[in-house]
Amino acid sequence: MSVPPHAARLEALLAERILLLDGAMGTMIQRARLAEEDYRGQRFRDWGRELKGNNDLLSLTQPALVRDIHAQYLQAGADIIETNTFNSTAVALADYGMRDLAREFNRAAANLARDAVREAESKKPRLFRPTSTTRAFAP
């Protein structure tokens, strides 16, 4: 079985050095001091339940904020960033009456993280260091 290119890239980087993982998304979101209206955005303006605290929702209603948090971690030197999906499961989203939106939450969060990585790599391609085992692979 062949190793997918991204897995090979990760293995090569891990063989070279310690990789840094981003920090807490929730703490960074709290620093923004968002109000209920910020969580709701236009789309969920009339939602029947309180949404403040549903940080995963911000990938849909405040994508610039989530993307900026990713960018801050990348700029600070994170090699790996996590998606804003701590509670993006049907079970957890049921508390907000949003269980049917789990897939959309996950997809939006993954796209925001990927966009932040692409942007960071375009400014400073530090995330990819070719080695003898990865020189044939280019992002």
Side-chain angles (χ1 to χ4, degrees), residues 32-70:
R33 300 186 185 274
L34 301 174
E36 175 71 21
E37 300 79 43
D38 299 315
Y39 279 85
R40 290 177 175 274
Q42 186 63 29
R43 179 176 171 187
F44 301 100
R45 173 183 71 210
D46 298 323
W47 200 257
R49 297 184 188 181
E50 184 177 332
L51 298 177
K52 186 175 181 180
N54 184 356
N55 290 345
D56 297 12
L57 175 62
L58 298 173
S59 293
L60 298 177
T61 61
Q62 300 291 327
L65 171 67
V66 173
R67 193 170 182 281
D68 182 59
I69 291 169
H70 289 313

Side-chain angles (χ1 to χ4, degrees), residues 2-5 9 18 21-22 26 29 31-32 40 47 54 56 80 91-92 95 97 104 109 125 127 130 135-136:
S2 65
V3 177
R9 178 178 169 192
I18 295 171
L21 181 65
D22 66 358
I29 289 171
R31 292 173 69 190
R40 290 177 175 274
W47 200 257
N54 184 356
D56 297 12
I80 302 169
V91 172
D95 291 344
E104 184 179 357
L127 299 177
R135 70 173 169 237

Side-chain angles (χ1 to χ4, degrees), residues 16 28 79 86 89 91 127 135 138:
E16 290 179 22
M28 295 294 280
D79 296 297
F86 188 78
T89 66
V91 172
L127 299 177
R135 70 173 169 237

Side-chain angles (χ1 to χ4, degrees), residues 61-116:
T61 61
Q62 300 291 327
L65 171 67
V66 173
R67 193 170 182 281
D68 182 59
I69 291 169
H70 289 313
Q72 289 177 53
Y73 279 122
L74 290 164
Q75 185 177 15
D79 296 297
I80 302 169
I81 59 171
E82 299 174 289
T83 57
N84 181 37
T85 54
F86 188 78
N87 290 308
S88 289
T89 66
V91 172
L93 292 174
D95 291 344
Y96 299 99
M98 298 182 149
R99 95 176 314 139
D100 294 338
L101 299 174
R103 174 177 242 122
E104 184 179 357
F105 276 40
N106 281 283
R107 193 165 294 206
N111 286 334
L112 290 171
R114 186 66 226 155
D115 288 348

